[in-house]
Amino acid sequence: MFGFEYPELFILVPFIIYCFYRCREKAKQRYFVHLNFFSIHQGNIDRRFWYKLLTALLLLTALASPVTVNPFDPKNRNGIAMVLTLDASGSMQARGFDSEDTMLTKFESVKAIVQNFVKTRLQDNIGVVLFGDFAFIATPLTYEKEALSQMIEYLSLGMAGENTAIGDGIHESLVALQSSEASSKVIILLTDGKHNSGSVSPKQAVDEARSRGVRIYTIGMGRETNYDGAMLEKIAKEGNGAFFNAKRSDDLKEVYEQIDTLERSHLRSRDYLYKDYWFMIPLALALLFFLLYSKSRLEGAQ
């Protein structure tokens, strides 16, 4: 990832170009019988203009401080520990949820959207929990997003049963987060049904999450009459998160984008990232063009 520490400095570029153009060096008229004694030519002056302009622009580039950041460097993994808790009950096999392909099941649509989501969270440690009659850790926390995306592709309906154990889903997500040392931990729970199974109640699971400082986002998908929106909203409120509803796949994409934006505010600022600085390259080039300009001036004075 390439960028600049102070990109706002480039707003000066048009002013610099305009100033140098308006203040171009012009050859003075001389009246002398032996003009061959002088080596000032229009070509020299043109070169000086470009030497000066490039020197100024390169100095500005150096001041803007070009940097590169390697998001895959372990030192730069300053994100959060996140578990995607997905409903895999029988109701997720319903079709028509996807706006573009009505033949896809809800679960297939969710997998595709979740796969795109995890690929944007390069700094985060992400895992997946499935719940139905019971809950289990489908993929443990990992930084390897490509492997995680492939594992999500292999998930299928019926792996956890037909019912909806929301409490167990949250509890198992907390188990997945136990091994993480991240200061910020998040659960994103998605369901299209109502809690009707499992050995842990949603209240017990939320109390446990709150005691551990784990934030919970909840998403109700499909028709609002199919899931318990009041309960999901309460879970999110007590879990210091937010509740969302998504009637169609486009809505669900927007929900994950909103959560992505919200959770980026919890990351460390860019000042804590380990960066490689490259200002010496434009600075060295600026010095080179300044020397060429000086040489041209000396040649013109001879």
Side-chain angles (χ1 to χ4, degrees), residues 7-288:
E8 59 274 9
L9 288 176
F10 287 112
I11 198 173
L12 299 174
V13 169
F15 299 99
I16 292 174
I17 295 174
Y18 177 77
C19 179
F20 273 73
Y21 179 78
R22 295 290 297 177
C23 304
R24 293 185 68 171
E25 185 179 358
K26 296 181 181 179
K28 295 181 180 180
Q29 290 185 343
R30 290 179 170 84
Y31 299 94
F32 195 78
V33 67
H34 297 293
L35 292 178
N36 59 305
F37 289 176
F38 295 89
S39 59
I40 296 180
H41 300 290
Q42 186 64 39
N44 289 340
I45 296 174
D46 286 341
R47 284 201 302 272
R48 290 179 203 167
F49 167 76
W50 290 109
Y51 291 157
K52 285 196 297 183
L53 179 60
L54 288 172
T55 299
L57 293 178
L58 286 166
L59 285 174
L60 184 66
T61 303
L63 286 173
S65 188
V67 296
T68 56
V69 177
N70 181 4
F72 300 103
D73 190 327
K75 297 190 296 297
N76 282 331
R77 288 171 177 168
N78 300 318
I80 61 179
M82 179 183 295
V83 173
L84 306 178
T85 310
L86 306 178
D87 188 341
S89 62
S91 58
M92 291 291 285
Q93 67 183 342
R95 304 181 190 275
F97 178 75
D98 195 288
S99 305
E100 298 179 359
D101 188 348
T102 56
M103 294 305 295
L104 290 177
T105 65
K106 286 182 180 178
F107 194 69
E108 289 171 334
S109 297
V110 167
K111 287 200 302 180
I113 293 170
V114 165
Q115 284 174 313
N116 289 329
F117 174 76
V118 300
K119 290 176 182 178
T120 67
R121 308 291 303 190
L122 295 177
Q123 299 183 22
D124 299 331
N125 209 359
I126 301 178
V128 176
V129 165
L130 288 189
F131 65 92
D133 291 330
F134 57 93
F136 69 95
I137 299 173
T139 63
L141 293 175
T142 178
Y143 284 114
E144 302 301 328
K145 302 307 184 299
E146 191 60 38
L148 178 60
S149 180
Q150 291 177 7
M151 289 298 296
I152 292 173
E153 186 63 33
Y154 291 130
L155 300 179
S156 61
L157 287 170
M159 296 179 75
E162 297 295 317
N163 291 309
T164 309
I166 291 176
D168 282 15
I170 297 173
H171 175 74
E172 201 63 27
S173 299
L174 294 172
V175 173
L177 290 168
Q178 279 181 345
S179 60
S180 173
E181 297 180 358
S183 58
S184 183
K185 299 179 181 181
V186 170
I187 294 172
I188 303 177
L189 183 141
L190 178 144
T191 182
D192 73 335
K194 300 176 182 178
H195 174 75
N196 60 8
S197 184
S199 58
V200 180
S201 72
K203 185 181 185 307
Q204 289 174 316
V206 173
D207 289 343
E208 184 182 2
R210 189 168 61 246
S211 68
R212 298 188 187 185
V214 177
R215 192 163 47 260
I216 304 177
Y217 292 95
T218 56
I219 306 172
M221 62 180 294
R223 295 179 180 177
E224 296 180 10
T225 54
N226 292 341
Y227 58 84
D228 191 342
M231 186 190 72
L232 293 178
E233 190 170 2
K234 185 176 181 181
I235 290 173
K237 183 178 180 180
E238 294 183 0
N240 196 30
F243 164 67
F244 302 90
N245 56 67
K247 294 182 179 180
R248 301 298 297 271
S249 61
D250 291 339
D251 301 327
L252 187 58
K253 291 176 185 176
E254 291 180 6
V255 167
Y256 276 104
E257 287 173 1
Q258 289 181 57
I259 295 175
D260 181 54
T261 301
L262 288 170
E263 281 307 313
R264 288 193 189 281
S265 67
H266 293 284
L267 296 177
R268 295 183 183 180
S269 70
R270 64 177 185 172
D271 295 328
Y272 290 92
L273 294 175
Y274 289 85
K275 294 171 279 194
D276 293 316
Y277 291 86
W278 302 97
F279 65 89
M280 291 301 296
I281 293 178
L283 194 60
L285 290 173
L287 178 60
L288 172 63

